[in-house]
Amino acid sequence: MSGMSAGNGQGHKMNVSTKLIRDIEKINDEKLKKWRVDAATRCHETLGPFPALCFSGGIDSQAMLHCFAEADLEAHVIIFTFNDDLNKHDVDHAKAYCHTFDIPYREIEFDIVSFLTRDNIAMSEKYGSLSPHFNTHYRFIEILTHMGYTGVCFGGNAPDKHGNDYGKNLGINEFNWVDCHDKFQIAVQGSFLSFSPELALALAVSTPTMGDDLPKLSEDWEEYKRLRHQKYEQKIIGYKRIGFDIMRQDTKYTGFEKVKDLFEEKTGDGWAFDRQFRQSLGRLPGANTDRNQYKIDMKADQKVFLDSIYFKHFPPGP
């Protein structure tokens, strides 16, 4: 467990039972519904009597809302609205989803530019995150704590198949939720879609693999956007196969695209946001920049079995 406590992924094993892997073999609608409902029920039990669901409108948070609604669980749906319409593309989509499925919601205004320019570094020093996105989520938690909520849940990210590995997209930022959880005053589930092993593994074998890594900072900005959109299309396939009611957007949004556009317009550099608000975090004293991934640790025969299920869905090309 050293990798989890150190926050670097080294030595950490996410064990998956052979019984669970065998259970994934014959996915059907009844089984998928049970896994969706069970995931929401188990998560809800950890969030106390007055839980909040942070809803961005993206497909990850749509999947979270779908599960909670299907399980008929009480929770307040919260939509954070950035100043100057800087996440209007997501907010409009979130509201449309709620109206379509008759889900009540509450809006909270948030000055994202002020937060990033004044508080981003302080949040990293407090919680150890290297991501302005995660720092923003941590501030959301602080706001909701002061409003009296007993727990907060985010859609998060599901372990997918990347190359030869399952669960590779669970990295240091995702697992930072574990390290900083004891600093929150309320219960927090930072990644609903990786909370339940049944649902997470079902998504992993139902979603086409991402063939290319997204370009790193300073590499081609247009290629980054192309690959990000490609991954979004692949995720939609997997989410629909799991039975989620998905309302797609034109492309994948993280809630920060308009913010990035704002700084690109000011500088002429598509990477300006990352240079100013992400790179600076890695230079903080004591910052853990180790990029080891938390991968699912499975025996060779387990992996062969999962691969056989995956390739039934997505046969390898010639």
Side-chain angles (χ1 to χ4, degrees):
M1 300 293 288
S2 60
M4 178 172 283
S5 60
N8 60 22
Q10 293 180 339
H12 178 64
K13 301 178 187 297
M14 291 189 289
N15 294 314
V16 178
S17 70
T18 297
K19 179 181 181 301
L20 172 56
I21 290 178
R22 293 284 174 180
D23 203 30
I24 297 290
E25 181 179 17
K26 296 180 180 179
I27 298 177
N28 56 46
D29 290 343
E30 181 180 359
K31 190 180 292 186
L32 287 170
K33 179 177 180 178
K34 182 179 186 304
W35 290 343
R36 294 192 303 265
V37 169
D38 285 351
T41 302
R42 289 198 296 261
C43 184
H44 187 267
E45 290 171 351
T46 71
L47 299 176
F50 193 38
L53 306 180
C54 284
F55 185 46
S56 70
I59 61 175
D60 299 326
S61 58
Q62 287 180 32
M64 173 184 67
L65 257 63
H66 177 122
C67 291
F68 272 76
E70 194 169 27
D72 196 24
L73 297 168
E74 292 288 336
H76 279 199
V77 174
I78 307 294
I79 299 174
F80 279 90
T81 303
F82 291 170
N83 62 303
D84 299 324
D85 290 335
L86 288 177
N87 66 338
K88 188 177 187 298
H89 51 289
D90 272 339
V91 168
D92 287 351
H93 202 76
K95 292 178 181 178
Y97 186 91
C98 289
H99 292 157
T100 299
F101 295 102
D102 196 25
I103 299 172
Y105 60 87
R106 179 176 187 174
E107 288 185 77
I108 298 176
E109 294 184 0
F110 187 77
D111 190 338
I112 184 63
V113 174
S114 176
F115 169 78
L116 290 171
T117 53
R118 297 174 54 185
D119 301 328
N120 181 43
I121 289 179
M123 293 296 284
S124 281
E125 292 173 338
K126 183 175 183 179
Y127 293 109
S129 168
L130 298 181
S131 164
H133 299 69
F134 282 78
N135 284 341
T136 304
H137 290 164
Y138 298 159
R139 176 52 56 84
F140 291 171
I141 294 167
E142 293 180 346
I143 292 171
L144 294 171
T145 298
H146 295 152
M147 294 175 66
Y149 288 97
T150 57
V152 181
C153 186
F154 296 84
N157 213 350
D160 60 7
K161 186 177 188 298
H162 188 121
N164 293 321
D165 294 313
Y166 292 91
K168 187 175 178 181
N169 66 339
L170 293 180
I172 189 171
N173 283 319
E174 288 80 3
F175 270 87
N176 194 58
W177 288 108
V178 177
D179 289 335
C180 70
H181 188 277
D182 60 348
K183 299 179 182 179
F184 298 134
Q185 298 179 40
I186 57 178
V188 176
Q189 177 50 253
S191 183
F192 173 79
L193 289 174
S194 58
F195 174 81
S196 166
E198 298 90 348
L199 195 59
L201 268 184
L203 273 167
V205 299
S206 301
T207 306
T209 187
M210 180 66 183
D212 298 295
D213 287 310
L214 294 178
K216 300 296 187 286
L217 185 64
S218 81
E219 296 183 18
D220 186 83
W221 176 245
E222 293 303 319
E223 178 66 2
Y224 168 82
K225 290 193 289 185
R226 185 189 71 80
L227 290 173
R228 186 184 61 193
H229 178 73
Q230 176 186 325
K231 185 170 179 63
Y232 179 64
E233 296 289 346
Q234 292 167 326
K235 286 179 67 174
I236 287 176
I237 292 172
Y239 282 39
K240 286 185 175 180
R241 294 188 69 166
I242 296 304
F244 290 129
D245 293 323
I246 296 300
M247 288 178 57
R248 62 167 299 129
Q249 294 166 284
D250 291 336
T251 189
K252 173 179 170 56
Y253 288 111
T254 65
F256 285 75
E257 276 71 16
K258 298 294 185 183
V259 181
K260 291 184 176 183
D261 288 346
L262 175 67
F263 287 93
E264 182 179 5
E265 290 170 5
K266 290 182 177 180
T267 64
D269 178 9
W271 293 105
F273 170 91
D274 294 271
R275 297 186 200 281
Q276 182 171 347
F277 301 116
R278 190 183 303 279
Q279 274 193 334
S280 59
L281 303 182
R283 293 192 290 266
L284 291 174
N288 181 359
T289 58
D290 196 318
R291 309 314 293 175
N292 283 287
Q293 298 287 330
Y294 293 80
K295 291 182 282 190
I296 295 174
D297 181 62
M298 61 181 67
K299 298 179 179 64
D301 61 326
Q302 292 178 319
K303 184 178 184 303
V304 168
F305 188 78
L306 271 188
D307 282 344
S308 70
I309 300 169
Y310 178 85
F311 287 123
K312 285 178 184 177
H313 295 166
F314 309 106

